[in-house]
Amino acid sequence: MFPFLAKYVADSDSFWTSIHPEYWSKHNVCEWLQFCCDQYKLDANCISFSHFNINGLQLCNMTQEEFLDAAGICGEYLYFILQNIRTHGISFFTDVEETKPTNKDCDLLTKLPPDSGVPSSLLTLFCSSVPARDKACERAGGINGQECHSHGRTNLQSSHLWEFVRDLLLSPEENGGILEWEDRGQGIFRVVKSEALAKMWGQRKKNDRMTYEKLSRALRYYYKTGILERVDRRLVYKFGKNAHGWQENKI
DNA sequence: AGCCCTTTTCCTGATT
DNA sequence: CAATCAGGAAAAGGGC
């Protein structure tokens, strides 16, 4: 595996980079989007997550116009990047890496269309994208998205607990029954295996002392910021107005 | 160095 | 009784 891609597949079962886009799961699509936002410094605020809550086949069937609708100017880049991956596969990445490893961001941009003009000031992690003016959300999601690229960690594997939980919910094939939707439409979910969840979160944070007791304390802090809403049932939580990226495909 | 933010750790007490 | 929930308080850790 290519070193600079390692963080994207490090502890994941699905190696999206080695799967043809046509066969990507929804989760893979999300990973790809995060990769794009990270590597190409796309402003995720332009991207409508709900439009990309689809699998790879649906993604590949999207026209350039649909990409524009779903992500504005970013849609152009995303479309271009996707077509490159479909055509050149992993070599699209490796070429880039080998060309100028010390300045990959700038170099990657050279592979975008000449008139791209990718905004470099707004770096936002796709799955943390938030309404630009939503301050609470901003805090929770990290609107400047620095975590996207500056420290080889946690892009595809979300850095925040609620994103970790969300992504686990979005990939049922990977969460081993740890989390379950209680009411998908309303964003209500249940922690089925609390100890396993804590252990998994602990692995993510490289902290083998993590417990559900402590994890749940962190989750309760989300009530204040509107990431989660209180549900009056044991082990049941609900995404709040400031959580995003968990909704059903709205296309 | 210092601030901000999220998460961790610990704790007391209530609830299921 | 064991597990969970509720938050307060303080500290850790990372980013800027």
Side-chain angles (χ1 to χ4, degrees):
Chain A
M1 187 49 64
F2 311 100
F4 84 110
L5 282 173
K7 64 177 175 173
Y8 294 100
V9 297
D11 46 2
S12 169
D13 291 333
S14 58
F15 291 71
W16 69 279
T17 50
S18 58
I19 300 170
H20 282 293
E22 285 83 357
Y23 301 109
W24 284 347
S25 64
K26 281 188 182 181
H27 187 66
N28 291 146
V29 171
C30 183
E31 290 175 327
W32 167 72
L33 278 164
Q34 287 195 256
F35 168 84
C36 292
C37 287
D38 181 0
Q39 298 297 317
Y40 299 88
K41 302 188 172 182
L42 301 184
D43 177 11
N45 288 312
C46 302
I47 304 171
S48 160
F49 180 87
S50 59
H51 282 75
F52 288 105
N53 188 12
I54 56 178
N55 64 34
L57 188 58
Q58 293 169 293
L59 183 75
C60 291
N61 284 330
M62 280 175 71
T63 64
Q64 189 162 13
E65 192 180 36
E66 287 173 320
F67 266 86
L68 279 173
D69 287 343
I73 186 68
C74 286
E76 238 177 71
Y77 316 139
L78 290 171
Y79 182 79
F80 175 80
I81 294 164
L82 179 65
Q83 300 317 317
N84 265 283
I85 293 174
R86 293 180 70 184
T87 307
H88 307 298
I90 195 68
S91 64
F92 176 60
F93 299 117
T94 55
D95 287 351
V96 165
E97 173 72 0
E98 284 159 9
T99 306
K100 195 193 278 184
T102 54
N103 197 354
K104 65 185 177 189
D105 290 333
C106 294
D107 190 53
L108 280 160
L109 294 181
T110 66
K111 297 203 176 282
L112 292 171
D115 59 340
S116 291
V118 177
S120 57
S121 57
L122 294 169
L123 317 176
T124 308
L125 179 62
F126 176 81
C127 283
S128 295
S129 68
V130 293
R133 303 182 181 287
D134 190 331
K135 212 175 176 187
C137 202
E138 203 177 301
R139 287 201 203 92
I143 200 159
N144 60 13
Q146 291 303 327
E147 75 259 55
C148 295
H149 64 96
S150 38
H151 297 283
R153 196 204 133 45
T154 67
N155 285 321
L156 293 193
Q157 312 305 328
S158 307
S159 57
H160 291 134
L161 174 58
W162 74 271
E163 295 169 305
F164 167 77
V165 167
R166 175 199 63 192
D167 293 344
L168 221 43
L169 277 161
L170 292 179
S171 38
E173 67 278 2
E174 287 169 30
N175 84 27
I178 289 175
L179 294 169
E180 267 178 21
W181 287 108
E182 191 104 303
D183 185 327
R184 182 66 211 269
Q186 292 192 62
I188 299 173
F189 60 93
R190 188 173 69 254
V191 177
V192 181
K193 302 174 185 173
S194 57
E195 277 182 43
L197 178 65
K199 182 175 288 185
M200 198 172 272
W201 175 237
Q203 283 177 342
R204 176 62 48 84
K205 297 292 289 290
K206 302 192 187 332
N207 174 1
D208 53 9
R209 281 116 35 219
M210 183 48 57
T211 64
Y212 178 71
E213 188 67 32
K214 293 187 282 194
L215 183 153
S216 65
R217 180 67 189 95
L219 289 179
R220 288 195 290 276
Y221 271 124
Y222 286 138
Y223 295 147
K224 258 196 292 198
T225 52
I227 296 294
L228 292 178
E229 287 174 21
R230 205 165 265 126
V231 172
D232 207 22
R233 273 180 288 156
R234 291 191 139 202
L235 299 168
V236 177
Y237 299 86
K238 178 182 192 299
F239 286 118
K241 62 180 185 302
N242 290 329
H244 48 84
W246 55 268
Q247 292 94 338
E248 289 266 33
N249 179 11
K250 287 177 186 167
I251 289 178

